Amino acid sequence: MKVLILTYYWPPAGGSGVQRWLKFVKYLQGFGIEPVIYTVKNPNYPILDDSLENDVPKNIKVLKTPIFEPNDFFTIFKKKETKTSAGFLESNPSFVGKVLQYIRANYFIPDARKFWIKPSVKFLKEYLKNNPIDAIITTGPPHSLHLIGLKLKKELNLKWIADFRDPWTDIDYFHHLPLTEKAKKKHCKLEEEVLYNADAVLVVGKTMKDNFQPFSKNIHVITNGYDTKNNNESEVVLDDKFSITHIGLMNADRNPIVLWQAITEISQENNEFAEDLEIKLVGSIAKEVQEQINKLAIKNITQIPYVSHQKVQEFQKKSQVLLLAVNKVPSAKGIITGKIFEYLQAKRPILAIGPENGDLADILQKTNSGVIVDFNNKEKLKQVLLRFYEDYKNEKLNVLSKNIEQYHRKNLTEQLSTILKQTINS
């Protein structure tokens, strides 16, 4: 059985966007499915991580074609900006910046990779004449890739699976875009057309599935996961300090203001806590986050630029507490950041800030791996921090997590293989 996987993100791309399908591809052959990759020849990846090349099976065929990305042109005019998780919006843009945002939002639908749709359809139609496959898989964002799948489905009547690593019109930054009503309707129409025509839809969480169900009858939840082995658990040496570590982009929406406030108040009341505390922020930090930290004069913060995936895992295993900040947006309930699963595997206590009734809260509760506190519940957060700190002082800061094996990438790929075979054979 052979499947053609269309993905924009592929090694040497770094960051979260590449992980899901890189890991699926790593294990698919073990379940009787041969993957063929179709990706971009000249990508504009904001983050590179050459170490991920090691996870690509040597015998995998990778097809590449060039792409024209207007963002390359826009960067000539852009001033300094703070990016969202999509790298799309400027914070307090200039007049020129506002004009460019408006153009990108309303004339490049669904996204700036739309110019890859037509040449990709042409190339793949020709390729498939002599290289038959059993199904195509598209993964987004960028959601332009789903439109490639949609056209191939309509023209070749292939089995097609659409994978949503993030929502489309319900994604965290969508409400920030300067969209006209006409543009919003076009986004919704395209999204519904993809959901309606795909033979199967994959999503990463229950909330997204609930939101998509009016438009598709064959939706499956396959979460993201982890793919490391703790062969050297006994050799891990925890940080001496009471370290609280956040991994990844911390943009304006993801700024845990209530945490900075709680830490400030506890530090003012407890000098020993202030001396023992160390906050590690690994990854890009938005200007708004930096301003909040400076305003409250929070000390003992170490900021670390992007590091390799292997180095990230080391930070996770050594930290006393792992911080997870959910974007404070209308769609927050359905946000499950990919790093939660590697946090689970690191087996350190997780402190999450986000909706206490969301998908993330459900994972933390079922795995007994940490605590989630609502965006505005400062008093509860202070109690949690002090409890963690007391356990740290008594050398008892541990976590008795359970049921985390279900999130191993190999087990998730087995779920995927079952869905693929059912879809292809239906």
Side-chain angles (χ1 to χ4, degrees):
M1 189 172 287
K2 184 181 290 189
V3 295
L4 176 65
I5 300 166
L6 283 60
T7 176
Y8 178 83
Y9 295 101
W10 192 251
S16 59
V18 69
Q19 293 288 332
R20 182 170 172 87
W21 282 94
L22 172 62
K23 301 301 183 179
F24 282 150
V25 167
K26 178 180 177 180
Y27 291 110
L28 270 175
Q29 288 175 307
F31 298 101
I33 297 173
E34 179 185 348
V36 177
I37 305 301
Y38 175 69
T39 189
V40 289
K41 190 174 185 179
N42 54 326
N44 183 14
Y45 297 144
I47 300 171
L48 297 176
D49 188 346
D50 292 332
S51 69
L52 295 181
E53 297 273 11
N54 297 326
D55 276 337
V56 181
K58 302 301 182 186
N59 61 339
I60 294 296
K61 188 173 187 62
V62 179
L63 309 171
K64 296 183 178 183
T65 62
I67 185 174
F68 165 69
E69 299 193 49
N71 280 340
D72 295 339
F73 174 76
F74 287 140
T75 54
I76 298 173
F77 301 96
K78 281 194 304 186
K79 293 187 176 182
K80 187 178 180 180
E81 65 178 35
T82 299
K83 295 183 178 180
T84 67
S85 56
F88 192 90
L89 294 177
E90 295 180 16
S91 177
N92 300 317
S94 64
F95 172 76
V96 173
K98 290 179 180 179
V99 171
L100 294 178
Q101 282 186 8
Y102 181 87
I103 292 172
R104 284 183 291 182
N106 294 285
Y107 292 93
F108 299 101
I109 298 175
D111 48 64
R113 279 78 187 227
K114 63 175 290 185
F115 298 102
W116 200 41
I117 297 172
K118 188 174 180 180
S120 293
V121 171
K122 181 180 179 181
F123 172 85
L124 291 174
K125 284 173 66 177
E126 192 63 30
Y127 173 80
L128 292 171
K129 286 181 181 179
N130 301 313
N131 300 274
I133 49 91
D134 296 291
I136 56 173
I137 301 169
T138 56
T139 179
H143 298 301
S144 285
L145 275 79
H146 294 316
L147 300 188
I148 299 173
L150 179 63
K151 288 182 179 295
L152 291 173
K153 170 68 178 178
K154 288 183 175 181
E155 295 186 29
L156 302 180
N157 196 29
L158 296 166
K159 293 288 186 178
W160 169 38
I161 296 93
D163 173 64
F164 287 82
R165 302 190 317 276
D166 286 305
W168 188 327
T169 56
D170 203 30
I171 200 166
D172 54 12
Y173 57 85
F174 194 80
H175 67 290
H176 286 313
L177 301 177
L179 292 163
T180 64
E181 287 303 313
K182 181 180 178 181
K184 289 179 184 177
K185 288 179 181 178
K186 186 172 182 180
H187 272 288
C188 291
K189 182 173 182 272
L190 289 173
E191 180 181 38
E192 291 174 14
E193 192 174 2
V194 166
L195 293 169
Y196 180 79
N197 284 280
D199 294 285
V201 174
L202 307 179
V203 295
V204 297
K206 181 179 180 298
T207 297
M208 205 190 310
K209 178 180 179 180
D210 292 343
N211 292 340
F212 281 173
Q213 270 185 321
F215 313 106
S216 175
K217 295 180 180 179
N218 193 20
I219 305 178
H220 305 269
V221 176
I222 301 183
T223 66
N224 289 310
Y226 66 88
D227 187 45
T228 52
K229 296 179 180 179
N230 264 350
N231 293 331
N232 300 316
E233 280 188 349
S234 60
E235 299 178 15
V236 175
V237 179
L238 296 176
D239 293 331
D240 290 332
K241 290 279 194 177
F242 179 54
S243 55
I244 301 175
T245 303
H246 179 273
I247 305 291
L249 173 69
M250 187 175 280
N251 58 30
D253 284 339
R254 202 175 286 170
N255 183 11
I257 295 174
V258 67
L259 175 67
W260 309 136
Q261 294 172 339
I263 285 174
T264 300
E265 292 183 13
I266 295 174
S267 297
Q268 290 171 347
E269 299 162 2
N270 187 328
N271 290 332
E272 191 174 14
F273 176 92
E275 287 295 321
D276 287 336
L277 177 68
E278 181 181 22
I279 300 171
K280 297 181 182 180
L281 304 179
V282 183
S284 300
I285 306 300
K287 180 180 68 176
E288 291 85 350
V289 180
Q290 189 66 61
E291 289 174 349
Q292 186 74 25
I293 291 171
N294 294 342
K295 178 181 177 182
L296 295 174
I298 299 173
K299 300 178 181 179
N300 301 330
I301 289 187
T302 303
Q303 297 185 26
I304 303 156
Y306 180 82
V307 296
S308 71
H309 191 241
Q310 181 178 349
K311 191 69 176 176
V312 161
Q313 293 168 344
E314 293 176 14
F315 278 113
Q316 291 168 348
K317 293 176 183 178
K318 293 173 60 178
S319 185
Q320 296 289 347
V321 177
L322 292 170
L323 172 64
L324 197 62
V326 174
N327 302 57
K328 192 175 182 181
V329 293
S331 59
K333 184 180 175 182
I335 293 177
I336 308 175
T337 59
K339 70 176 72 70
I340 176 60
F341 303 103
E342 291 195 353
Y343 278 15
L344 291 178
Q345 200 274 339
K347 295 185 178 179
R348 297 305 304 154
I350 297 170
L351 172 60
I353 298 172
E356 295 181 2
N357 63 342
D359 292 354
L360 177 61
D362 187 56
I363 291 174
L364 291 174
Q365 189 272 326
K366 288 181 177 178
T367 56
N368 192 41
S369 54
V371 180
I372 189 163
V373 180
D374 192 79
F375 296 112
N376 301 313
N377 198 340
K378 183 174 64 177
E379 292 308 311
K380 178 180 177 180
L381 182 55
K382 289 172 68 174
Q383 292 172 11
V384 171
L385 286 167
L386 288 171
R387 186 171 76 244
F388 280 162
Y389 178 63
E390 182 180 0
D391 288 343
Y392 156 78
K393 294 295 286 185
N394 293 323
E395 298 184 358
K396 296 179 180 178
L397 184 54
N398 295 301
V399 63
L400 299 175
S401 55
K402 59 184 182 181
N403 303 323
I404 69 170
E405 277 297 315
Q406 62 184 303
Y407 299 115
H408 193 284
R409 296 285 188 179
K410 186 174 182 180
N411 293 331
L412 295 168
T413 305
E414 184 175 14
Q415 293 179 37
L416 171 65
S417 68
T418 300
I419 294 167
L420 289 178
K421 291 171 184 176
Q422 289 175 344
T423 303
I424 291 168
N425 294 325
S426 63

